Amino acid sequence: MGHKVVCLDCKKSFSQGTDFNDRKEANCPDCGKQMTLLPHRFRPPKKSEEKKWETVKFLIDNGFYYQHIYETVTKTINGFTKYENLVPYPDNIRDAKEFVERYKNQARK
């Protein structure tokens, strides 16, 4: 289990190991474009699953890089943030649009 680099154009992903201090930017061996770094929890669809890849691209374009997303985000008195109820990522575009709108405050900027 390590992070993955993904080419959204060629629909390919490669594991990059578990040493997060040694992250490397990678270019796709097929098209040469820069690949996207995603955490180990990302499970790439099969290359033939066009609609699922479209959903993955939509989520990433909107700041959701398969990081943890939580249903409830509350602040405690000490200034620490408390997160509850991990939310699963959607696998179709209709659900992804709703997901992006609902959790936009947790998207990467």
Side-chain angles (χ1 to χ4, degrees):
M1 282 173 67
H3 57 284
K4 295 179 176 69
V5 288
V6 178
C7 179
L8 298 171
D9 292 332
C10 297
K11 300 172 185 72
K12 290 187 173 189
S13 71
F14 302 94
S15 289
Q16 292 295 302
T18 57
D19 186 0
F20 291 103
N21 295 321
D22 189 30
R23 292 183 182 179
K24 300 176 192 155
E25 290 189 11
N27 291 332
C28 177
D30 290 345
C31 70
K33 292 183 181 176
Q34 186 169 348
M35 299 178 81
T36 303
L37 181 69
L38 299 175
H40 71 278
R41 71 186 64 79
F42 174 71
R43 299 289 181 251
K46 293 179 182 177
K47 191 170 184 173
S48 62
E49 295 177 312
E50 297 285 333
K51 296 286 185 188
K52 288 186 179 182
W53 278 104
E54 179 183 331
T55 302
V56 169
K57 183 171 180 1
F58 176 79
L59 289 167
I60 291 170
D61 287 348
N62 283 280
F64 293 93
Y65 289 79
Y66 290 81
Q67 71 272 26
H68 287 301
I69 301 297
Y70 295 92
E71 182 68 37
T72 307
V73 179
T74 56
K75 298 235 181 213
T76 63
I77 297 171
N78 304 12
F80 291 100
T81 305
K82 182 178 179 185
Y83 300 96
E84 297 176 353
N85 302 327
L86 187 63
V87 177
Y89 272 76
D91 62 359
N92 65 62
I93 197 72
R94 181 178 50 87
D95 292 343
K97 288 178 181 178
E98 182 179 313
F99 179 92
V100 165
E101 185 59 34
R102 185 171 192 175
Y103 302 108
K104 62 185 168 193
N105 63 329
Q106 295 182 55
R108 288 186 187 172
K109 309 280 186 240

